Amino acid sequence: MKSKKIMTEEDLSIAFEIRKEVFVKEQGVPLSEEFDEFDTLDAPCKHILVYYNEQPVGTGRVRFVDSYGKLERICILEPYRKYGLGKVIVKVLEEIAEENGVDKVKLHGQTHAEGFYHKLGYETASDVFMEDGIPHVLMTKKF
């Protein structure tokens, strides 16, 4: 398993295809809601790809909001879940946040993944709310 920061339009396009597969096709998020102004190479955020057997199968980004690193758009193609790649994505995004001088992170976690994030040191910081028709909670972690 390896990961890399996205530095090219080609890699960004691969990340977008993974996100379309997971969020749009699988979870029903409208295409118009999935992509935003932070989906460029020069946006104030960092995107990554995660690989399994040299194949790009997961992605995520960290955006810098106030004094937090906000982990977003974390997803893995369905056949590659259960290999520990989600943990890799979160760890790499946290490392990028730290490299950028941030000592705390937050995310909007889907409620079915709340236990996963708890195992990685996140605390639930809100009641359940809906985002793109999917129940989420705000979760935070300090380094």
Side-chain angles (χ1 to χ4, degrees), residues 60-113:
R61 74 181 188 196
V62 59
R63 195 163 56 90
F64 304 99
V65 181
D66 301 321
S67 58
Y68 283 87
K70 185 169 187 259
L71 281 56
E72 300 177 324
R73 306 304 202 269
I74 296 169
C75 63
I76 300 162
L77 295 173
E78 197 277 329
Y80 301 95
R81 295 176 193 155
K82 306 291 186 200
Y83 292 116
L85 298 170
K87 183 177 179 179
V88 172
I89 293 172
V90 171
K91 181 178 181 235
V92 171
L93 294 176
E94 289 174 350
E95 288 170 358
I96 293 169
E98 277 191 292
E99 289 168 6
N100 283 270
V102 174
D103 66 352
K104 55 190 174 184
V105 289
K106 64 182 178 179
L107 57 86
H108 293 176
Q110 294 182 11
T111 54
H112 71 83

Side-chain angles (χ1 to χ4, degrees), residues 31 33 53 126:
L31 186 61
E33 296 293 316
N53 290 339
S126 76

Side-chain angles (χ1 to χ4, degrees), residues 19 24 29-36 39 73 131-132:
R19 286 170 45 187
V24 178
V29 173
L31 186 61
S32 62
E33 296 293 316
E34 176 53 30
F35 298 97
D36 60 24
D39 286 321
R73 306 304 202 269
E131 190 169 87
D132 296 322

Side-chain angles (χ1 to χ4, degrees), residues 12-25 29-40 47 59 61 73 75 132:
L12 194 58
S13 177
I14 292 168
F16 292 170
E17 289 304 314
I18 293 169
R19 286 170 45 187
K20 281 186 215 174
E21 184 65 32
V22 174
F23 293 126
V24 178
K25 291 181 185 174
V29 173
L31 186 61
S32 62
E33 296 293 316
E34 176 53 30
F35 298 97
D36 60 24
E37 68 272 21
F38 301 106
D39 286 321
T40 65
H47 299 261
T59 188
R61 74 181 188 196
R73 306 304 202 269
C75 63
D132 296 322

